[in-house]
Amino acid sequence: TGYWGGYANVEDNALKITNRKRQKQGPHLDITELNPGLCFTPDQTILFSTRIKLDMADGSLDGLPTTCKNSIEDKYGLLCPHFGSKIQGVQDSEWHHSTGSRLYKYRAPNYGEWFDWTGTFSWDADELNPDNAYALLYMYYVDAGVDFSVDTFRISLPSSASFPNPENLCGELVPNGDAEANGFHPYPLKSYRFDDTLYVQSE
């Protein structure tokens, strides 16, 4: 983040990245010491959830759609926030970069509004090699000049409520049907349509 002049500070108990000059500048979390190879197994589904806010650096456009939400040409979320990992193998040249999750325009927030973002990802055997030299989680692909705030961040395994009871497979035909077992994440349920977004009319 700081390589191109970005600044990280705490504001209202949230991490805020300012003075961003490039799309790939964003929050980073070094997890090398946690050694994910000792905590997870290859190709295992991992849940990712965070709460983010995007603000124009000059304070304008609050309440208006972000570039991610407003772009007509971008159908695949290339101009939207991404979450991924960067892992360096034993040899310096062995870099593993993967995008674990991305926002799409139909779910994108407006400027100045906190937004819950969830997804799933996995690591392969090479990425989970316990001898890897470096492991990093990060969020990126937000327009330069936009401040990037993170209030909460969490990765976890799906809870037992996400899987049917092997002793009674027909007892609950919709695992995690109330979508509360994994916090923000409704795993294993997901939508296969891009035009059926639910909107909160009142709380």
Side-chain angles (χ1 to χ4, degrees):
T1 296
Y3 185 79
W4 292 298
Y7 300 110
N9 55 78
V10 176
E11 184 176 300
D12 296 327
N13 295 318
L15 175 67
K16 186 173 185 178
I17 310 299
T18 60
N19 198 44
R20 298 178 55 258
K21 305 297 184 183
R22 306 204 178 186
Q23 284 183 318
K24 290 191 176 182
Q25 283 178 290
H28 289 59
L29 178 63
D30 185 344
I31 59 170
T32 306
E33 294 299 321
L34 299 178
N35 201 336
L38 300 179
C39 301
F40 300 102
T41 57
D43 304 316
Q44 182 179 37
T45 296
I46 304 169
L47 304 182
F48 148 74
S49 62
T50 187
R51 191 165 181 255
I52 66 172
K53 182 164 69 81
L54 306 178
D55 297 280
M56 294 298 294
D58 61 6
S60 64
L61 303 184
D62 275 6
L64 297 179
T66 57
T67 299
C68 172
K69 191 171 187 175
N70 214 26
S71 176
I72 297 175
E73 296 82 10
D74 182 28
K75 297 180 180 179
Y76 304 104
L78 300 179
L79 299 177
C80 296
H82 287 48
F83 163 76
S85 62
K86 221 174 188 182
I87 297 175
Q88 185 180 18
V90 179
Q91 303 296 324
D92 289 345
S93 60
E94 294 179 1
W95 279 98
H96 305 274
H97 173 267
S98 61
T99 297
S101 179
R102 70 176 65 173
L103 276 177
Y104 291 92
K105 60 182 301 178
Y106 71 98
R107 295 185 56 235
N110 294 325
Y111 288 113
E113 298 176 358
W114 285 104
F115 176 78
D116 294 325
W117 173 19
T118 68
T120 61
F121 70 101
S122 62
W123 282 308
D124 62 26
D126 289 336
E127 292 170 315
L128 290 176
N129 185 338
D131 295 326
N132 284 337
Y134 185 67
L136 173 81
L137 299 175
Y138 68 123
M139 287 177 272
Y140 55 106
Y141 271 137
V142 171
D143 285 348
V146 174
D147 294 342
F148 196 142
S149 298
V150 180
D151 181 55
T152 57
F153 176 83
R154 170 182 161 187
I155 60 172
S156 61
L157 296 179
S159 71
S160 59
S162 297
F163 306 94
N165 181 352
E167 304 298 327
N168 185 18
L169 294 178
C170 295
E172 186 179 12
L173 297 180
V174 184
N176 192 22
D178 58 5
E180 296 296 329
N182 297 308
F184 298 130
H185 205 286
Y187 182 87
L189 306 178
K190 65 181 295 185
S191 171
Y192 290 93
R193 293 178 60 93
F194 296 116
D195 57 356
D196 60 354
T197 304
L198 297 177
Y199 297 93
V200 176
Q201 297 296 328
S202 63
E203 294 185 355

